[in-house]
Each structure stands twice: as C-alpha cells, then as structure tokens.
Amino acid sequence: MANDRPVVRTRFAPSPTGPLHIGGVRTALFNYLFSRHHGGEFLLRIEDTDRERSTDAATQGIIESLDWLDLDRDGQTVFQSTRIGRHAEVARALLALGRAYHCYLTPEEMAAERAQARAEGRQWHYDGRWRDRDPAEAPPGVKPAIRLKAPRVGETAIDDLVQGTVRVGNAEMDDLIILRSDGTPTYNHSVVVDDHDMGITHVIRGDDHLRNTFRQAQIYAAMGWEPPRFAHLPLIHGPDGAKLSKRHGAQFALEFREQGYLPEALCNYLLRLGWAHGDVEVLGRQEAIRLFDLDGVGRAPSRMDYAKLNYLNGVYIRQADDERLTREAVARLARRPGLVLDDQATARIRRLVPALKERAKTLEELADSAAFLAHPVPLPMQPRPLPCSPRRRGRCCAAWRRRWCSAALRPKHWTPRCVPSRSRPDASSARSRSPCGRR
C-alpha cells in the first residue's frame, strides 16, 4: 500500500476552536502549493479532540474559508475525534513493547507540584517516579495514565526544511503522557498516529509547533515508524512587529472577504509574505504552483503590510471580469438600506463597472462608488428654510452685519467664517452671505 502513495502528501490540520486565522491561511496555502508543485496530494484534517472548545460553527468556517480561497483538497476530510480508538490502540502497543509505562500520578498531585514549582520560580518537570516502579505499588482506586519512556541521554535532532538542523537535549524533556487516565489521547500522540496512518510525507506548519516536534519525533522512534520531513514556517506579526491582533486590522480569513478582498489577491499577498522569488509581485495560481518550493521560505517572522495588500487587491480588481465585479457590488449594496437593486439599477452598475474599478482598492470601495446608481428616483430632497420676507430682510441683514463686525473687532476670536472672503487668499469667487441670501 505504501508504494501506491504519491511522492508528496501534505495536510492542513487546524483546530476548530475559532475562525481561521490569516497565519493558518498561509500555512494551508504553502501546504497546497508544495503538494501541487510536486504532483502530490493535499489533505484536510480537523483536530477536534478538544470537545469543550471545538464547535461545529468553527469547523464550517474553516471549510468555507478554504473553499473561498479555492484550496481544493484530496480525499475526505478526516476528523480526529473519530480516531480516538486508534490512538489508544497505539498507546497500548507501546506499553506492550516496554516503551511506555503506567503512571499513577494523579492530576491533583500534578497540579499541586506545578503550583509549588511556580512559587519557587522554577519550571516543573515530571521526575519519572513511576518509570521503573513496580505496578504492584500502585495506589488502589487510581486510574493510570500512559507515559512514553523518552530517552534521558543524548539529544533529539530535527533536520527542518526551513529552520535547518535544530537540536534539543533529551534531559530537557520529561516522559510525555500519551494517553490520559480517562482514556483520551494527548495532542502530540494523536498527531503522530494520524500523520502516519494518513501517509503524510511533509509536515508544514508554524514554528510555534517546533517544541512539539521533538516530542513527536520520540514517538515515531518508539514505534519504529519513519517520520515525515518537517518544515516550520515563521509567524506573521503586525506592522509594528507585535503579535498580529484586531488593532492592526483584519486577522481572520472571512474578515478579509467581508472587507472586500479577492481570494486570489489575498493568496498572492500571503505567498510573497515569507517566500521569495525575484522581484515578481503578481503571481497567478498556476504560476505559483510552478515556482513554489520550500527553499524560498525565509526564517525571519513576516510583518503584515495592509497597504501592500490593498495595492495588490486593486491590481486584481482591475484585471477581474466585469460581470463578476457587478455581482459582487450588487450583493454588497443589497445589504444596505434605502437602495433599489432592480434590473435597471443592475444594468447601470454593469455599464459603469469598467470605469469604477480603475480606482477601487476593495470590493467595498467599488460598491461605495456604485451606490448612487441604486438610489430611488426621484432623489429625496432635504427641506430648506423659506427666504425672508421683504419687510424682515433689511432687519435680518443688519443684524448679520452687526454680528460680523462684533466678531471682526475681536482678533483672538477670528476664524475663517468671520473673515470676509475677499480678504482670504484661498477664497473662491463666492462671497459671504447673510442668512437670507443677500451679500
């Protein structure tokens, strides 16, 4: 069966605990482009084992985001929660091989020891007290967890395709829990089992997972499985170098859609955010597949540049089909009150789209420019005050002149409104008028 698998098989494995972040979008894009470049497959796995935080709405949001970005997947979506039995099976296999053991340290004891370590200003590590202890000494009524017998000497090294060779001393890592006392698997164990069973050849993800990779490499070694190649991408920061947050602007995939960005423009921007290939800025999907490889990915964190994204989005809007832009503009205007989107209005918008798109940076700007074409006719008029009667006009103008003179005699209160227009160097031909319209 292994020989039937493609040379390259990647996966995108988000947790459905919230909207798909722009960093996750770039990770999915790089996995997709890498697999397509090498003629391989791109799979989706939803890591929903955290049942308290995972939601169906977040799962649908992830799938909707990938569909909007046109990142098509191969095969069926895998839900990690359906594979808990398989994860437990592998944990028990390690136990039978003598490469894992039962640990009777209760969660309460562990929490107390962690609190004591924090109070003493040190990091807590499990001391391996049950590693070589006789199970006959187990306290009655305590359900054990299963821990991996991790190597205690030497080092674990990862030959990362982006970060280079990265090492960590085994003494810095304790024996990892792979199956909790309630029978649920831990994240690092589940990921290894799923990646192996799915035939994943390359794991491409954010470098915030680098620490997990060392532990996962130990599980691969304990099972005698060949690990995939790893590539850890640098994170995306805000324009100021801080963690990307709401104050910087949109940060979730569907937020960019709502703000009027085209999916191909967003993908083009994210491709060039951390991957270099000469000075070419505008790359279509097929050209990106032809050129992309991991040797062009940098190690330094990237900074989100919303001005550059707006520029690229404007380029793609000008290149977009007019009928597509018409549909987008009409759909956005339909959500605004007071407009009439009948066939006549749609036809007017369609005729003007070629001109309107030349200045639009987003679809929202395009809709703003086209909104006047959907206003009801005749246009609603604002009521205006009636002009003064001939009898009152003289008194009105005299009162206005007295107010103007009084203001002019107080220089510290001068404003452009109380200075005669002919005295202002930038004034237009219009002169100051009294409330009744007389000069």
Side-chain angles (χ1 to χ4, degrees):
M1 183 179 294
N3 293 332
D4 296 334
R5 289 172 178 165
V7 176
V8 168
R9 180 178 281 188
T10 65
R11 51 62 164 183
F12 178 52
S15 297
T17 56
L20 181 58
H21 190 270
I22 194 66
V25 172
R26 190 184 66 169
T27 298
L29 175 66
F30 281 18
N31 274 279
Y32 172 87
L33 293 176
F34 182 78
S35 63
R36 295 293 185 256
H37 174 78
H38 291 280
E41 294 182 356
F42 170 61
L43 309 179
L44 174 64
R45 182 173 73 231
I46 302 296
E47 297 190 338
D48 57 344
T49 51
D50 187 346
R51 302 310 298 167
E52 292 184 1
R53 299 176 58 214
S54 299
T55 66
D56 291 339
T59 299
Q60 292 305 313
I62 291 169
I63 294 174
E64 184 180 352
S65 299
L66 295 178
D67 289 342
W68 174 63
L69 296 163
D70 197 24
L71 299 180
D72 55 296
R73 285 81 66 195
D74 299 292
Q76 297 294 318
T77 300
V78 175
F79 290 88
Q80 195 173 67
S81 59
T82 65
R83 294 177 44 79
I84 290 178
R86 170 61 176 161
H87 304 150
E89 175 190 334
V90 173
R92 288 191 290 268
L94 286 169
L95 192 65
L97 291 168
R99 296 167 187 166
Y101 61 94
H102 281 132
C103 175
Y104 293 89
L105 182 67
T106 65
E108 293 75 20
E109 291 173 330
M110 194 183 307
E113 291 184 13
R114 288 181 185 275
Q116 183 179 352
R118 281 195 299 269
E120 296 173 358
R122 59 182 175 84
Q123 188 174 3
W124 181 81
H125 281 278
Y126 170 66
D127 57 10
R129 69 193 68 174
W130 285 99
R131 182 182 176 111
D132 300 310
R133 197 166 169 181
D134 188 350
E137 301 177 23
V142 176
K143 290 184 177 180
I146 298 179
R147 285 184 181 267
L148 179 73
K149 275 189 178 179
R152 290 183 163 180
V153 296
E155 62 182 14
T156 299
I158 303 296
D159 185 17
D160 194 275
L161 295 172
V162 173
Q163 305 294 334
T165 302
V166 189
R167 295 180 172 86
V168 65
N170 290 329
E172 298 180 30
M173 296 185 288
D174 54 10
D175 292 344
L176 172 72
I177 293 178
I178 55 177
L179 196 69
R180 301 182 184 92
S181 58
D182 62 2
T184 59
T186 57
Y187 166 78
N188 283 309
H189 179 65
S190 301
V191 166
V192 170
V193 175
D194 290 343
D195 283 343
H196 171 267
D197 289 357
M198 293 170 66
I200 301 302
T201 62
H202 294 75
V203 173
I204 305 170
R205 57 190 178 190
D207 63 10
D208 52 334
H209 284 280
L210 188 56
R211 180 76 180 178
N212 292 329
T213 305
F214 295 113
R215 293 187 174 278
Q216 292 165 17
Q218 293 179 343
I219 300 175
Y220 277 108
M223 284 300 297
W225 293 340
E226 181 181 354
R229 300 297 307 275
F230 292 98
H232 289 88
L233 311 174
L235 302 182
I236 299 176
H237 292 173
D240 56 359
K243 181 181 178 181
L244 188 64
S245 64
K246 201 71 176 177
R247 65 186 176 87
H248 294 118
Q251 56 178 332
F252 301 116
L254 297 182
E255 279 186 314
F256 286 93
R257 183 180 69 176
E258 290 304 310
Q259 292 184 12
Y261 293 95
L262 294 175
E264 55 267 40
L266 183 59
C267 287
N268 189 157
Y269 175 74
L270 292 176
L271 170 62
R272 302 294 282 125
L273 194 64
W275 176 80
H277 184 81
D279 297 327
V280 180
E281 290 294 338
V282 180
L283 284 168
R285 178 61 56 85
Q286 293 306 313
E287 186 71 0
I289 290 174
R290 186 180 71 83
L291 296 174
F292 182 82
D293 215 338
L294 292 173
D295 56 3
V297 178
R299 299 182 184 181
S302 305
R303 295 194 180 193
M304 192 75 182
D305 186 342
Y306 289 93
K308 188 171 183 179
L309 174 58
N310 287 339
Y311 162 75
L312 268 177
N313 201 55
V315 170
Y316 276 92
I317 286 178
R318 290 190 291 275
Q319 295 175 354
D321 177 68
D322 291 344
E323 188 61 35
R324 175 191 178 188
L325 295 179
T326 300
R327 290 195 302 270
E328 290 282 359
V330 169
R332 290 171 185 276
L333 292 174
R335 299 196 291 263
R336 304 183 184 185
L339 300 180
V340 178
L341 273 305
D342 54 13
D343 292 342
Q344 265 190 322
T346 302
R348 289 195 294 266
I349 293 172
R350 182 180 293 109
R351 285 196 296 270
L352 277 187
V353 155
L356 296 177
K357 72 179 184 180
E358 291 300 319
R359 290 191 174 187
K361 294 292 191 298
T362 67
L363 295 176
E364 279 296 300
E365 289 187 8
L366 180 68
D368 291 340
S369 301
F372 78 99
L373 298 167
H375 278 291
V377 178
L379 297 175
M381 304 298 291
Q382 295 294 329
R384 298 182 62 182
L386 295 174
C388 295
S389 63
R391 171 177 289 183
R392 296 184 56 194
R393 188 173 297 163
R395 294 196 299 270
C396 180
C397 291
W400 179 83
R401 284 195 295 270
R402 284 196 298 272
R403 287 197 301 272
W404 184 89
C405 291
S406 175
L409 291 175
R410 297 194 297 273
K412 65 179 181 178
H413 297 297
W414 283 359
T415 66
R417 293 185 63 187
C418 67
V419 177
S421 58
R422 67 182 64 186
S423 302
R424 284 182 255 153
D426 60 341
S428 63
S429 59
R431 297 293 185 260
S432 301
R433 296 176 180 273
S434 70
C436 65
R438 295 189 62 182
R439 296 183 185 275

